[in-house]
Amino acid sequence: MTQKQPPYKADKDNQDERAIPYTLGNLEAGEPCCIPKAHLQVQNLSVSYNNITVLDDVSLDIHKGCITALIGPSGCGKTSFLSALNKLTDLTASAEVKGSILFDTQNLVSDKIDVMALRRRIGMIFQQPNPFPLSIWRNLDLPLREHGFRNKSVRRKKIEKSLQDVGLWDEVKDRLQDSALALSGGQQQRLCIARALVLEPEILLMDEPCSALDPISSCVVEELILRLQGKYTVIIVTHNLAQARRIANYAAFFWMKERVGKLIEFGQCQHLFETPKDDLTAAYISGAKG
Amino acid sequence: MALLKTSFLFLSSLKHQPDRTLSFFLAILAALSGLLLLLVILFLAKEAWPGLTNGGWRSFLTHKSWYPLEGMFGIFPMIWASLAMMFGAVLIAIPLGLSAAIVMRFYIPPTSLLAQAYRLILGLLAGIPSVVYGLWGLTVLVPLIGQLHPPGASLLAAILILALMILPTIALTALAALEAIPKTILSGAAALGMSQKGQILSVALPAARMGIIGGILLSMARALGETMAVLMVAGNVVQNPDSLFAPVRALTANIALEMAYATSFHRASLFASGLLLTFLVFLLSWFASRNMGNNHYG
Amino acid sequence: MFVNLKLVWLVTLLFFSSFSTTMAADNRLVITGSSTVAPLALEIAKLFENNNPGIRIDVQTGGSSRGINDARMGLANIGMVSRALKPAESDLTPFTIAMDGIGMIVHKSNNIKTLSNAQIIAIYKGKITNWKQLGGSDLAISVVNKAEGRSTLELFLKHFSLKNSQIKAHVVIGDNQQGIKTVSGTPGAIGYVSIGTAEYEEKQGTPIRLLPLAGVSASVRDGVFPLSRPLNLVTKGKPSLLAKRFIGFAQSAEVHGLVKNQFFVPLKP
Amino acid sequence: MADQIFKAVILACTAFIGLVFLWILGEVVVKGISHLSFSFLFDAPVNSGRAGGIAPILVSTLMIIIVAVSVSVPLGLGVAVWLSEFTKQGQKFATSTRLTLDVLAGIPSIVYGLFGNAFFCIYLGLGFSILSGGLTLACMILPIFIRTCEMGLRTVNDSWRKGALALGMTRTAAIWHILLPSATPAIIAGLVLGIGRATAETAALIFTSGYVDRMPESFMDSGRALAVHIYDLSMNVTGGDHAAYATALTLIILIVFFNIMAQFMMDQWLGRKVLSS
């Protein structure tokens, strides 16, 4: 199970082609190949709302340091899957999660998990950039303080590093006290990623992080995600098949069967796109279905 | 739908101690504020109890009128007076208020100085204390009516003052409801070649009717519960309203007038009429909120 | 359960009460009741406060029944009642401070000079509805009646042997002042108020006129006016020290000037 | 043709309303201004308010508002936060609390006066006092305030809640640092609505805070509110109309002043933090 795709190189080529006006930060790219070691083991996961099952019997391993793309049409349970991983399903009163998600010997489906600590280790980025209506600085400062970083200079270092990692530091360093909502869409999304990174999570969940952005911002964010590879385990939901192909090491294809979301196929990205085992997968990636 | 989506935080998922403490503390506050209604009703009922037990309530129904000195506690003349004022006021305020809303929505551009000034005045008048309306009624309106039919303090004066007081509410809620109608509905009607009058009367008003009715019910509740303005202009004679110029006493005015010195059964009767008033107003606001809640456009 | 609730509320309120003096403080008096007595009590209170710095006396009106009620409930230290106490009110102790009468008033422009008892009764029963019927100008009569609970009303009804339900009123008023205001603003109106208040207002230039009653011109000075009454301060049980001092002061000759200024009749020494 | 007549009729109605309202406002302003002066605001009433000013009445009014606001705001804010952030749709306790508040909002003010008299004045023994009156008004404005705040909290961008929680923040922190600041305009609006009601109220105060028109020395003193003063001057004082109009003008100016202050505060707030949905 060796990862063939050399993402860093491809990324460089793309960058030249698109002539991106932004400079990305100094986040060093991880190992070119991710380690084939399960970071999360999902077994027989089902999610239901109001007793209506939206995701049924999903089992797959998320590999450490890899980017895993979840693809498939809308409403097939991809977002529910993500939410189950950091227990954001708790927020919906009627949601019920069954099965098991193993993370460091802990079963995340259990009620006894300390969700606050868990969410610090598993960060999440949403489709719509959601910086808080506070200053840029406080957007990053607040979560740090809430997680007990009392020392101001420590916080300052972490914030600066995190902003540099997402390539935002040079753009905002002179206006850290300005409202985060005054930033452009792409900047906002990178700020949200910085906000997640500042807590040094192990896993990042991304729910269509580029789909609400304009093409150029979208590219910048995509570059950024690629650079996260190796350092972080990334699970990304995307509707953009080309994007999934460009950045992901692994891909999981979800589909609605009898109104219930199912995992149809899971495997290395290249294999899934080039030699799909399932007819549905083949039809979807060729554009015949979906 | 928006409500459904947003209310997602709930107690069972509170894993953290500060959250649980806060939730517990806030739930106590909520219970306390809920207790307030219980407290209000309990105290009203406690004070009204001597008037309601031992067949006391029967005296409200059987006696023709209200003469506490003679032990007569019939409240019907005052109920009729209150209702007559309320309906009279609404009857006048509805067409006028709707006209104002229609004009502001369809005939003058909302950004024009005139429209803004008009809206400002309506907003200001909605916030003016009822006692100021009463003052104006007492010193301007009552003498005017008095020239027609002395002494002037009458059902008519009360109706006119109440109509003025609820007009801003009716106009502003109707305006909000009209503004909430999707533009496509109106342009659809215009595309069918309807006249502006037709568009307004047969498309816009029906589409906004829930909001408009809700506003009317709310203002009816306000008219029924109003005390000071009515007390100042209605003459306060307990009698069935047999003419517009007859002085009458509303239920609310009766409480304000006699509460200070009523004792025993008399006092209990006043508290009982307070309970009745609460019940009537509650019915109206309940209907109103049901209407507003079902309104698709606003 | 109620005791506990009360405790909870009281604890909540402690914040406010902590920096406030309470009603039971011995430098404060609350006096409520008859609007006839109130102006006099207010003047006496001012003088009393001047003589005794640090004392504060609050006077509020609302009718004799309120005076009785508040004194009973403990809402007021002293109640003001503009009539003699009834047998049912024997739990209160009355202290008479002056005498007053009730007089009929009409608008100043009204040319009727006198009314007999029978005429007044007919007017109040709604049998006479225009001043023309009494030889006056062609003007509808507006009958001004007092609200229940006012001792002025009770005395008026008793004197004319009327029942309130027989009266066909056009306006029902509360305070004496309100009655005077209504009559002064309505040319065809007739009402009855405290003579003291009416005389005071007449002197101030308010357009009203007192009518003689049964041929006796309106003044209680010699005590012969038919509709006279005592003005009382009442307390529940024994008055507190301060209340006792105030009542003593209000009954003393020191305030006779004030009493006369309000057109009431001082007690004979 | 029918279109023209219709237009003419409703334009006439609208103009008529405008004129009547201008008449009322004009009457208050013209009659009020002639009596309004610096000394009117800073003197004590003389001769039942025929002469002198309204200084003690202004002070009483402000004290009553202070009591009402300082009781209803913390309580109301807490309940609003609980309703919008800690209850789920259809939860019985929350539904019944909401229903209770709706009923409370509908109760006529004179009934609050009855309740305040029976509960605060007599049962708790507070007598006729600014405290009794303020607490009665607090009960009256509580449901309105809670409603506005709850609505404000509900319209706060949901993604901020999710974002905060996804960062492992506690709800308490999310409410304190993000939701309440974002809902500030609504909270201020609710506050102004409540203060407006409290300032305009008469019926609930007559039997709770009383009539005394002297300078209050403590919250346990009886104090006459501006609206009560207007009522008393116009009903019970011969020749008090001009003072009544001057007081009415003062009251209206006060209410407008509160509104402008609120608008100013909101603008400040919005200027500082760009809030968008």
Side-chain angles (χ1 to χ4, degrees):
Chain A
M1 284 248 284
T2 357
Q3 170 58 270
K4 296 275 163 38
Q5 201 179 10
Y8 194 53
K9 192 168 164 284
D11 151 43
K12 233 181 175 177
D13 293 344
N14 288 345
Q15 200 174 8
D16 292 340
E17 273 169 32
R18 294 181 207 124
I20 294 161
Y22 298 90
T23 48
L24 275 175
N26 56 359
L27 174 66
E28 289 158 29
E31 298 293 314
C33 302
C34 57
I35 307 149
K37 179 187 161 200
H39 205 174
L40 281 173
Q41 285 176 292
V42 180
Q43 275 153 13
N44 310 103
L45 185 76
S46 301
V47 180
S48 59
Y49 298 102
N50 286 323
N51 295 324
I52 298 165
T53 308
V54 293
L55 189 68
D56 188 35
D57 199 20
V58 174
S59 301
L60 55 79
D61 285 359
I62 304 292
H63 294 283
K64 193 163 188 165
C66 297
I67 298 176
T68 306
L70 309 182
I71 59 172
S74 303
C76 62
K78 303 186 300 291
T79 302
S80 298
F81 179 78
L82 272 197
S83 304
L85 297 186
N86 73 344
K87 291 188 87 74
L88 271 186
T89 40
D90 277 4
L91 302 188
T92 316
S94 53
E96 200 187 345
V97 181
K98 282 188 195 134
S100 74
I101 304 167
L102 286 180
F103 178 50
D104 270 7
T105 71
Q106 283 182 305
N107 184 359
L108 300 188
V109 174
S110 147
D111 275 342
K112 291 179 185 116
I113 298 289
D114 177 351
V115 280
M116 301 306 160
L118 170 74
R119 286 177 193 152
R120 192 185 153 190
R121 294 175 67 194
I122 306 184
M124 186 159 184
I125 311 296
F126 298 87
Q127 176 175 9
Q128 204 72 40
N130 60 348
F132 299 137
L134 308 168
S135 69
I136 296 169
W137 176 267
R138 237 174 109 62
N139 258 286
L140 281 82
D141 197 41
L142 187 58
L144 281 175
R145 277 155 83 140
E146 286 305 313
H147 283 286
F149 291 90
R150 302 248 177 267
N151 188 324
K152 202 176 173 189
S153 63
V154 170
R155 292 207 305 270
R156 186 190 303 276
K157 268 187 207 134
K158 280 179 183 289
I159 291 171
E160 190 177 330
K161 176 167 187 304
S162 171
L163 282 173
Q164 278 170 345
D165 284 352
V166 298
L168 211 52
W169 177 252
D170 291 332
E171 292 164 47
V172 302
K173 66 181 174 200
D174 300 326
R175 46 182 181 132
L176 288 170
Q177 296 310 322
D178 287 8
S179 170
L181 299 184
L183 296 173
S184 74
Q187 287 174 320
Q188 288 191 7
Q189 192 62 299
R190 280 188 286 150
L191 182 70
C192 290
I193 295 174
R195 195 173 63 185
L197 295 184
V198 82
L199 292 173
E200 292 164 353
E202 297 162 36
I203 301 175
L204 272 180
L205 310 175
M206 298 191 167
D207 191 359
E208 302 185 43
C210 298
S211 65
L213 306 179
D214 62 276
I216 291 177
S217 307
S218 169
C219 285
V220 178
V221 172
E222 193 181 311
E223 299 273 351
L224 178 59
I225 296 168
L226 263 176
R227 291 179 178 221
L228 298 175
Q229 192 201 35
K231 277 196 137 182
Y232 302 91
T233 305
V234 176
I235 307 172
I236 178 169
V237 170
T238 178
H239 280 123
N240 184 338
L241 294 181
Q243 184 184 52
R245 223 172 156 162
R246 278 198 299 273
I247 63 175
N249 308 115
Y250 290 90
F253 173 57
F254 288 77
W255 185 262
M256 286 257 282
K257 271 187 173 168
E258 287 141 16
R259 300 194 174 178
V260 177
K262 297 249 186 207
L263 175 66
I264 303 299
E265 193 171 345
F266 173 66
Q268 287 188 28
C269 192
Q270 209 178 1
H271 293 166
L272 191 128
F273 277 98
E274 283 165 15
T275 52
K277 294 191 194 94
D278 197 286
D279 292 346
L280 263 173
T281 318
Y284 183 74
I285 57 178
S286 68
K289 263 195 171 178
Chain B
M1 276 317 283
L3 288 186
L4 263 174
K5 212 172 69 196
T6 44
S7 91
F8 58 73
L9 300 168
F10 64 108
L11 282 168
S12 64
S13 74
L14 295 178
K15 299 277 164 30
H16 262 236
Q17 198 51 47
D19 286 351
R20 270 196 228 146
T21 319
L22 182 70
S23 167
F24 180 71
F25 177 67
L26 294 182
I28 287 182
L29 287 190
L32 220 81
S33 69
L35 206 72
L36 183 60
L37 178 67
L38 203 69
L39 207 66
V40 170
I41 292 180
L42 232 117
F43 264 84
L44 288 182
K46 179 181 161 236
E47 299 285 333
W49 195 244
L52 298 172
T53 45
N54 297 329
W57 57 273
R58 233 176 286 143
S59 66
F60 295 137
L61 309 178
T62 49
H63 290 140
K64 282 208 177 60
S65 196
W66 178 271
Y67 295 106
L69 276 183
E70 292 157 43
M72 292 166 76
F73 291 96
I75 55 173
F76 273 106
M78 292 185 284
I79 295 181
W80 297 140
S82 279
L83 292 178
M85 285 176 197
M86 180 183 82
F87 282 113
V90 165
L91 226 58
I92 295 177
I94 288 177
L96 290 176
L98 285 185
S99 304
I102 290 170
V103 167
M104 278 196 286
R105 170 70 182 82
F106 295 103
Y107 289 103
I108 45 179
T111 48
S112 72
L113 202 64
L114 188 66
Q116 301 230 322
Y118 202 84
R119 207 183 261 250
L120 193 74
I121 290 182
L122 281 188
L124 185 61
L125 285 156
I128 279 188
S130 58
V131 69
V132 175
Y133 282 101
L135 174 64
W136 184 80
L138 191 70
T139 54
V140 177
L141 195 62
V142 168
L144 270 180
I145 298 175
Q147 287 176 5
L148 223 74
H149 197 291
S154 57
L155 177 62
L156 180 64
I159 286 178
L160 291 178
I161 286 292
L162 281 180
L164 282 176
M165 286 180 63
I166 60 176
L167 240 169
T169 315
I170 291 187
L172 291 174
T173 47
L175 180 62
L178 285 175
E179 278 173 344
I181 303 173
K183 286 235 159 45
T184 47
I185 292 188
L186 294 174
S187 40
L192 288 171
M194 283 171 94
S195 69
Q196 188 153 33
K197 170 179 155 254
Q199 281 176 44
I200 292 167
L201 290 185
S202 43
V203 180
L205 286 185
R209 79 177 177 284
M210 285 315 219
I212 294 174
I213 292 174
I216 290 172
L217 286 171
L218 270 184
S219 56
M220 281 167 86
R222 182 170 180 202
L224 196 61
E226 178 50 45
T227 310
M228 300 321 288
V230 166
L231 176 66
M232 288 164 88
V233 302
N236 299 322
V237 178
V238 183
Q239 60 177 355
N240 283 315
D242 51 0
S243 106
L244 274 178
F245 295 106
V248 291
R249 188 188 294 185
L251 267 182
T252 48
N254 187 45
I255 298 175
L257 210 58
E258 301 191 347
M259 170 57 198
Y261 45 80
T263 46
S264 59
F265 190 82
H266 185 189
R267 181 179 160 92
S269 318
L270 291 181
F271 273 87
S273 61
L275 267 181
L276 175 74
L277 205 59
T278 308
F279 180 69
L280 288 177
V281 171
F282 163 62
L283 274 185
L284 281 172
S285 14
W286 183 64
F287 275 124
S289 67
R290 247 181 46 148
N291 258 297
M292 300 285 231
N294 293 341
N295 181 12
H296 296 293
Y297 302 127
Chain C
M1 179 198 170
F2 258 86
V3 177
N4 285 339
L5 258 181
K6 190 174 172 177
L7 261 175
V8 170
W9 280 109
L10 279 176
V11 167
T12 326
L13 303 178
L14 239 143
F15 164 70
F16 292 100
S17 5
S18 57
F19 53 86
S20 340
T21 50
T22 56
M23 240 191 82
D26 17 317
N27 59 347
R28 284 199 56 197
L29 272 183
V30 176
I31 305 178
T32 67
S34 160
S35 65
T36 310
V37 189
L40 175 61
L42 201 63
E43 291 303 320
I44 297 177
K46 271 184 198 159
L47 193 61
F48 190 74
E49 282 178 355
N50 279 342
N51 296 347
N52 303 277
I55 302 283
R56 187 184 160 96
I57 302 174
D58 289 341
V59 180
Q60 315 200 40
T61 65
S64 295
S65 300
R66 177 175 176 187
I68 285 173
N69 204 14
D70 286 357
R72 253 189 200 146
M73 297 273 212
L75 281 175
N77 306 91
I78 300 175
M80 300 177 283
V81 183
S82 53
R83 58 169 165 73
L85 288 185
K86 298 174 186 170
E89 294 155 0
S90 56
D91 55 327
L92 301 170
T93 324
F95 302 91
T96 306
I97 57 170
M99 296 297 286
D100 178 36
I102 297 170
M104 307 300 303
I105 54 167
V106 291
H107 193 264
K108 200 167 193 170
S109 66
N110 198 322
N111 51 10
I112 295 287
K113 293 287 178 257
T114 176
L115 288 172
S116 69
N117 280 3
Q119 285 171 325
I120 291 172
I121 291 171
I123 290 173
Y124 269 82
K125 281 187 169 176
K127 300 217 169 81
I128 299 177
T129 56
N130 197 309
W131 290 110
K132 196 170 56 180
Q133 293 164 267
L134 296 167
S137 46
D138 182 11
L139 191 64
I141 299 178
S142 298
V143 176
V144 179
N145 196 20
K146 284 210 115 185
E148 301 230 352
R150 305 286 175 163
S151 56
T152 315
L153 169 75
E154 292 169 28
L155 277 154
F156 176 83
L157 294 178
K158 201 172 155 206
H159 183 260
F160 289 102
S161 316
L162 280 167
K163 275 182 165 180
N164 201 14
S165 50
Q166 296 171 316
I167 291 178
K168 299 273 176 291
H170 295 107
V171 180
V172 171
I173 50 105
D175 283 6
N176 281 311
Q177 302 280 351
Q178 198 187 341
I180 289 168
K181 189 157 186 176
T182 310
V183 172
S184 68
T186 319
I190 179 167
Y192 54 92
V193 292
S194 151
I195 293 181
T197 319
E199 275 191 76
Y200 180 80
E201 290 287 339
E202 222 180 339
K203 283 281 181 311
Q204 303 271 317
T206 312
I208 53 161
R209 191 153 46 77
L210 268 164
L211 293 180
L213 209 57
V216 184
S217 95
S219 174
V220 263
R221 203 129 303 200
D222 20 357
V224 292
F225 191 73
L227 246 171
S228 71
R229 57 176 174 176
L231 302 183
N232 286 324
L233 297 180
V234 303
T235 58
K236 185 175 168 66
K238 277 188 84 173
S240 71
L241 205 65
L242 181 63
K244 207 170 175 177
R245 268 177 62 204
F246 178 75
I247 291 168
F249 181 70
Q251 287 179 314
S252 71
E254 275 180 81
V255 300
H256 281 182
L258 294 177
V259 174
K260 282 178 188 154
N261 281 347
Q262 299 283 331
F263 297 92
F264 296 127
V265 179
L267 287 183
K268 295 193 180 77
Chain D
M1 194 56 207
D3 221 25
Q4 295 300 315
I5 294 173
F6 175 74
K7 188 174 173 182
V9 167
I10 66 163
L11 278 176
C13 283
T14 311
F16 173 71
I17 300 171
L19 287 178
V20 170
F21 282 155
L22 283 180
W23 182 13
I24 298 180
L25 282 178
E27 194 98 17
V28 173
V29 170
V30 169
K31 284 191 181 166
I33 268 185
S34 64
H35 201 87
L36 196 60
S37 65
F38 195 72
S39 64
F40 183 75
L41 294 179
F42 292 95
D43 284 352
V46 176
N47 200 358
S48 305
R50 288 181 188 91
I54 53 168
I57 290 146
L58 267 175
V59 172
S60 300
T61 308
L62 292 179
M63 283 171 77
I64 290 170
I65 293 172
I66 287 171
V67 173
V69 165
S70 55
V71 171
S72 60
V73 163
L75 186 62
L77 216 50
V79 177
V81 165
W82 185 75
L83 280 176
S84 85
E85 306 301 323
F86 288 99
T87 61
K88 55 179 174 178
Q89 199 75 25
Q91 186 181 316
K92 254 192 188 151
F93 185 21
T95 318
S96 48
T97 304
R98 261 190 213 101
L99 183 73
T100 305
L101 291 172
D102 282 349
V103 178
L104 277 173
I107 293 180
S109 58
I110 182 81
V111 177
Y112 276 106
L114 285 179
F115 163 72
N117 180 272
F119 184 64
F120 295 118
C121 298
I122 297 174
Y123 184 70
L124 292 186
L126 298 175
F128 292 106
S129 62
I130 287 173
L131 190 54
S132 298
L135 290 172
T136 308
L137 290 190
C139 300
M140 208 179 95
I141 60 180
L142 184 68
I144 315 164
F145 182 67
I146 293 178
R147 237 314 126 94
T148 338
C149 290
E150 195 199 340
M151 284 300 161
L153 281 168
R154 280 192 186 287
T155 51
V156 169
N157 198 336
D158 216 21
S159 71
W160 293 336
R161 288 191 183 87
K162 279 192 192 167
L165 293 174
L167 285 167
M169 283 164 69
T170 58
R171 276 155 228 260
T172 313
I175 291 165
W176 183 250
H177 292 295
I178 296 157
L179 302 183
L180 280 181
S182 315
T184 301
I187 294 170
I188 293 178
L191 192 63
V192 169
L193 208 63
I195 291 180
R197 284 276 179 99
T199 321
E201 189 47 50
T202 317
L205 287 178
I206 291 181
F207 307 126
T208 52
S209 73
Y211 258 73
V212 173
D213 60 356
R214 304 173 60 192
M215 187 62 83
E217 283 162 2
S218 78
F219 285 99
M220 292 304 289
D221 279 343
S222 168
R224 184 188 285 197
L226 280 171
V228 176
H229 191 54
I230 297 171
Y231 167 70
D232 197 56
L233 281 175
S234 60
M235 289 291 273
N236 297 338
V237 178
T238 47
D241 286 357
H242 275 279
Y245 271 108
T247 314
L249 185 59
T250 316
L251 182 52
I252 292 173
I253 290 173
L254 200 65
I255 290 175
V256 170
F257 171 75
F258 282 139
N259 274 285
I260 291 174
M261 274 287 287
Q263 195 59 51
F264 176 73
M265 277 163 73
M266 272 193 246
D267 287 349
Q268 287 278 304
W269 190 262
L270 293 176
R272 201 149 52 83
K273 309 199 168 180
V274 186
L275 293 164
S276 67
S277 60

